[in-house]
Amino acid sequence: MPSFMKDEMKKKDEEKLEEMKREIDEAEAAEAGGESDDEPAFEPGEAETAEGNPEDAEAAEEAEGGELSGRVQQLENELQEKDAQMLRLRADFDNFRRRSQKEREELGDVVIQGIITDLLPLLDNFERALSAEVPDLDSFRTGVSMIYKQMQELLAKNGLEPIETEGRKFDPNFHQAVMRVQDPEKEDDMIEQELQRGYMVKGRVVRPSMVQVVSN
């Protein structure tokens, strides 16, 4: 065989060998790429961290446990502080309630003392009227009328006011109907007669008026 043919065949064999090697390399590269898509590359350092170094893992667990313990202690301290604050507020409220009750009682005593002090002159006048020798009934009536007027003024000064009934319609908030009468000249529910006067103290009814009411 001529030498030039041998060289040409050798060249073709080398080219075919190169092509086969290239195909093998491409196949290996494709296979490596498929494995990379299915499973992430695993760094050698990670293997040591995850499995090869238990001391570091234990240290990390201890650090995490210490952090949780500190957080729990902080929450317990906050809870104790809230409990103490609630106890202080409750104690302050109880003291305020007792102080308010005491102040109301003292105020009530002062009001009662003031009214009794105002009533003392009336008591003196009644004693004088009963001990005096009255020459006639008219003089006695005049003295009693003066005492009655004095008493009205005293009670009005302390907030007492009568409930009006004349020419008024019956109002259950101020009146108590004890009788019903017929009167064609008046409308229904008009007050016919006052049987007992009612009173208010500073706008609050302390005794309703007892009245007769028209009911035709």
Side-chain angles (χ1 to χ4, degrees), residues 137-173:
L137 184 60
D138 291 337
S139 298
F140 181 77
R141 186 187 299 273
T142 301
V144 172
S145 297
M146 292 176 61
I147 297 174
Y148 175 70
K149 184 178 179 181
Q150 184 182 7
M151 187 171 184
Q152 282 183 318
E153 293 174 351
L154 185 153
L155 294 174
K157 186 183 73 173
N158 286 276
L160 185 72
E161 54 182 322
I163 296 175
E164 297 295 334
T165 58
E166 185 176 356
R168 305 294 178 90
K169 275 196 170 185
F170 173 77
D171 187 342
N173 296 312

Side-chain angles (χ1 to χ4, degrees), residues 116-129:
I116 291 177
T117 301
D118 291 340
L119 286 172
L120 291 179
L122 290 175
L123 184 62
D124 295 337
N125 289 336
F126 274 118
E127 290 178 351
R128 294 189 185 98

Side-chain angles (χ1 to χ4, degrees), residues 85-98:
Q85 184 179 6
M86 184 178 296
L87 290 175
R88 288 194 298 270
L89 289 174
R90 183 177 297 175
D92 291 342
F93 177 75
D94 290 339
N95 292 334
F96 171 77
R97 183 174 57 185
R98 286 194 294 268

Side-chain angles (χ1 to χ4, degrees), residues 29-101:
E31 184 177 358
E35 292 177 356
S36 177
D37 293 337
D38 295 337
E39 297 181 1
F42 195 73
E43 298 293 335
E46 294 179 357
E48 288 184 0
T49 304
E51 299 178 359
N53 197 347
E55 293 182 357
D56 291 346
E58 184 178 353
E61 290 179 359
E62 291 180 356
E64 185 178 358
E67 183 178 355
L68 289 175
S69 178
R71 179 59 178 165
V72 169
Q73 184 63 40
Q74 180 183 359
L75 292 175
E76 288 180 351
N77 294 337
E78 291 178 359
L79 182 60
Q80 291 177 359
E81 183 178 354
K82 294 294 184 182
D83 289 342
Q85 184 179 6
M86 184 178 296
L87 290 175
R88 288 194 298 270
L89 289 174
R90 183 177 297 175
D92 291 342
F93 177 75
D94 290 339
N95 292 334
F96 171 77
R97 183 174 57 185
R98 286 194 294 268
R99 185 169 61 252
S100 298
Q101 180 66 25

